[in-house]
Amino acid sequence: MIQDLKNSYGSLFEDALLEEINQFGTYKDVPEGYKLIEIGQYIKSMPLLISGAIKIMRDDDDGDELLLYFLESGDTCAMTLTCCLGTTKSEIRAISELPTKLIMIPIEKMEEWTGKYKSWRNFVFESYHNRLMEMLETIDSIAFLKMDERLLKYLRDKSKITNDDTIYSTHQEIAYELHTSRVVISRLLKKLENQEKIKLNRNNIKIISL
Amino acid sequence: MIQDLKNSYGSLFEDALLEEINQFGTYKDVPEGYKLIEIGQYIKSMPLLISGAIKIMRDDDDGDELLLYFLESGDTCAMTLTCCLGTTKSEIRAISELPTKLIMIPIEKMEEWTGKYKSWRNFVFESYHNRLMEMLETIDSIAFLKMDERLLKYLRDKSKITNDDTIYSTHQEIAYELHTSRVVISRLLKKLENQEKIKLNRNNIKIISL
DNA sequence: GTTGCATAGTAACAAATGTTACATAGCAAA
DNA sequence: TTTGCTATGTAACATTTGTTACTATGCAAC
């Protein structure tokens, strides 16, 4: 564990802090598609991503859902940070998008380190910053882009996150993440295929050039 | 100044910090409609709201715009906090919605106090938290609500912020904030008037019951 | 192979939103 | 009062997105 930790966070944190993380954190290794946090669930610890990727989804009461953003190595969940104050119930759902390694930090430590380590404080601030910027980007997409542009952006982002030019998703899954219907996605994907930007297969989409 | 400061932040900050804020902050009193921050502008100080309200807008390159949220007394601008790291260019536009009093804090101090005062640290964390939650609410609105529901929510929020059941905006202004067209807003407002929920006048909208 | 199920394709239509164009109304300055 | 400008009302139409319903296809279990 200490080696993984050093690789991902060694340049960010001082040795004493790395030591504490190693001591108090819990190493976790989850497969793809593992549900890490559910909406309304209470949060007891915050995740530090070592490798893999996590998909953060927003759901509302009527079963509507929407992809907010992805977390990658070196990220942490700002929504979790946020839960250390006030309400501790999660507003989001977190699902691993890839096999993922992470370290869970008890929230008391998060509080303690904030006073103790400047590098930790900066890390937390920077995480908030990054998450706010991702939220802004999400807002830009849903407010300013048409569905075909959002789909294109989705395919690009997904390919980048998984580091694979084939995207293993069904049209229905994409529809859920973009909060639209399967028929709409099929329609737009077919248009992209006709433009020879992608190649459609059962259960996957091969990107030719986006 | 010190009295205003105590009224708004006295319960939040210890005396020593209040003292420093008083010493290093610059008191600012702006009229309604004053542009505090423009997109792309560099940020040199962060605002602490004493009274009034500030509208935070997102713009994109094509002249599209969208209301993100309002700041009120006791709030600060997380987007500004965020600018103390990395890029210091503003991603948003801030305009006073009411006559507004605020204290501008030089960003070096913000950094310094973060290490020095636990109450300041908590304030900053809580601000980030609140802003993330507002962004989530904005995303919910644009992703899950139809335009008529968004308009209703807009009227309610605006009335609450200004503490006035008459909203002094033109249809065009509302259209900009909701990122749609004037005709669409006129249409929906007229529908609300027919339902006797509002009364339309030139340059203002009187809320009857929402 | 045949069956069954999940996935994808597509047409036809419905609803929501956006656009254009023009008419009307309110208000203030000349 | 007339003029001019801004704001609002409204029709007609275009586009985008969503829905329903049905077909076709791929794949695996039998």
Side-chain angles (χ1 to χ4, degrees):
Chain A
M1 161 174 176
I2 187 75
Q3 196 48 53
D4 276 345
L5 180 58
K6 271 209 168 146
N7 289 343
S8 301
Y9 294 92
S11 59
L12 227 55
F13 300 146
E14 56 252 66
D15 286 346
L17 176 52
L18 287 171
E19 205 41 68
E20 286 212 53
I21 294 173
N22 191 36
Q23 187 180 345
F24 298 107
T26 314
Y27 191 78
K28 213 166 170 180
D29 205 333
V30 303
E32 184 188 321
Y34 183 85
K35 191 187 291 177
L36 289 152
I37 301 174
E38 183 52 274
I39 290 207
Q41 189 179 318
Y42 286 89
I43 311 283
K44 312 139 305 261
S45 55
M46 60 170 284
L48 289 186
L49 250 94
I50 302 293
S51 67
I54 294 177
K55 179 171 78 180
I56 306 294
M57 302 282 298
R58 174 69 167 157
D59 297 26
D60 82 353
D61 313 319
D62 306 343
D64 296 320
E65 50 182 324
L66 178 75
L67 170 66
L68 291 180
Y69 50 78
F70 292 103
L71 299 177
E72 292 181 282
S73 170
D75 286 335
T76 187
C77 179
M79 295 293 173
T80 306
L81 297 176
T82 238
C83 290
C84 305
L85 325 138
T87 46
T88 51
K89 274 192 190 168
S90 177
E91 296 279 346
I92 51 90
R93 195 154 50 92
I95 294 157
S96 55
E97 179 70 22
L98 298 170
T100 296
K101 292 181 184 180
L102 30 80
I103 299 180
M104 304 302 290
I105 311 288
I107 53 177
E108 319 84 66
K109 286 297 158 187
M110 126 106 205
E111 170 96 9
E112 184 191 322
W113 295 342
T114 291
K116 206 158 146 193
Y117 299 106
K118 184 156 189 272
S119 63
W120 179 257
R121 221 154 49 219
N122 287 340
F123 172 69
V124 171
F125 284 141
E126 196 152 339
S127 299
Y128 268 125
H129 171 79
N130 292 337
R131 244 36 72 205
L132 268 176
M133 290 304 112
E134 309 246 33
M135 296 278 274
L136 254 193
E137 205 183 317
T138 304
I139 287 177
D140 283 352
S141 296
I142 52 182
F144 300 145
L145 300 185
K146 299 253 161 85
M147 193 53 81
D148 55 349
E149 298 170 296
R150 287 180 60 201
L151 178 58
L152 265 175
K153 180 167 154 43
Y154 173 89
L155 295 173
R156 284 196 208 99
D157 289 353
K158 188 100 165 189
S159 167
K160 183 150 165 279
I161 282 282
T162 57
N163 194 30
D164 192 334
D165 63 358
T166 301
I167 290 161
Y168 297 88
S169 303
T170 64
H171 299 184
Q172 182 62 71
E173 284 166 357
I174 298 174
Y176 283 141
E177 303 199 346
L178 295 181
H179 189 248
T180 181
S181 78
R182 197 270 309 169
V183 180
V184 170
I185 294 298
S186 292
R187 185 153 67 201
L188 295 174
L189 282 173
K190 184 51 73 178
K191 210 161 73 184
L192 287 177
E193 186 176 47
N194 290 338
Q195 295 166 8
E196 307 203 345
K197 294 187 173 170
I198 58 175
K199 173 79 179 62
L200 297 178
N201 303 296
R202 188 185 175 85
N203 290 315
N204 73 77
I205 300 163
K206 164 114 179 144
I207 293 178
I208 298 170
S209 74
L210 286 188
Chain B
M1 163 175 172
I2 186 74
Q3 196 50 54
D4 276 345
L5 180 58
K6 271 209 168 146
N7 289 344
S8 300
Y9 294 93
S11 60
L12 225 54
F13 300 147
E14 54 252 64
D15 286 345
L17 176 52
L18 287 171
E19 204 44 66
E20 285 213 56
I21 294 174
N22 191 36
Q23 187 180 345
F24 297 108
T26 314
Y27 190 79
K28 212 167 173 182
D29 205 333
V30 302
E32 184 187 321
Y34 183 86
K35 192 187 291 178
L36 289 151
I37 301 173
E38 183 52 274
I39 291 208
Q41 191 179 317
Y42 285 89
I43 312 283
K44 311 139 305 259
S45 54
M46 60 169 285
L48 288 185
L49 249 93
I50 302 293
S51 66
I54 293 177
K55 179 171 78 181
I56 306 293
M57 302 283 297
R58 175 68 167 159
D59 297 25
D60 82 353
D61 312 319
D62 305 343
D64 297 319
E65 48 183 324
L66 178 75
L67 169 66
L68 290 180
Y69 50 78
F70 292 104
L71 298 177
E72 292 182 282
S73 171
D75 285 336
T76 189
C77 179
M79 294 294 174
T80 306
L81 297 176
T82 239
C83 290
C84 305
L85 324 140
T87 45
T88 51
K89 274 194 190 167
S90 177
E91 295 279 346
I92 50 90
R93 194 155 51 92
I95 294 156
S96 56
E97 179 70 24
L98 298 170
T100 296
K101 292 180 184 180
L102 32 81
I103 298 179
M104 304 302 291
I105 312 287
I107 53 176
E108 317 84 66
K109 287 295 159 189
M110 127 104 205
E111 169 95 11
E112 183 190 324
W113 296 342
T114 291
K116 207 159 148 192
Y117 300 107
K118 183 157 190 266
S119 63
W120 178 259
R121 220 155 48 219
N122 286 339
F123 172 69
V124 171
F125 284 141
E126 194 151 343
S127 298
Y128 269 123
H129 170 79
N130 292 337
R131 243 38 72 205
L132 267 177
M133 290 303 114
E134 309 245 33
M135 296 278 275
L136 253 193
E137 204 182 318
T138 304
I139 287 177
D140 283 351
S141 296
I142 52 182
F144 301 145
L145 300 185
K146 298 255 159 84
M147 194 52 81
D148 55 350
E149 300 171 295
R150 286 180 60 199
L151 178 57
L152 266 175
K153 179 166 155 46
Y154 173 88
L155 295 173
R156 283 196 208 100
D157 289 353
K158 187 100 164 189
S159 166
K160 182 149 166 278
I161 282 282
T162 57
N163 193 31
D164 191 335
D165 62 358
T166 301
I167 290 159
Y168 297 90
S169 302
T170 64
H171 300 186
Q172 182 63 73
E173 284 166 358
I174 298 174
Y176 283 142
E177 303 199 347
L178 295 181
H179 190 247
T180 178
S181 79
R182 198 268 310 165
V183 180
V184 169
I185 294 298
S186 292
R187 186 154 66 203
L188 294 174
L189 282 173
K190 183 52 74 179
K191 210 163 72 185
L192 287 177
E193 187 176 46
N194 290 337
Q195 295 166 8
E196 309 203 343
K197 294 187 174 170
I198 59 175
K199 173 80 179 61
L200 296 178
N201 304 295
R202 188 185 173 83
N203 289 314
N204 72 77
I205 300 163
K206 163 114 179 143
I207 293 177
I208 298 170
S209 74
L210 288 187

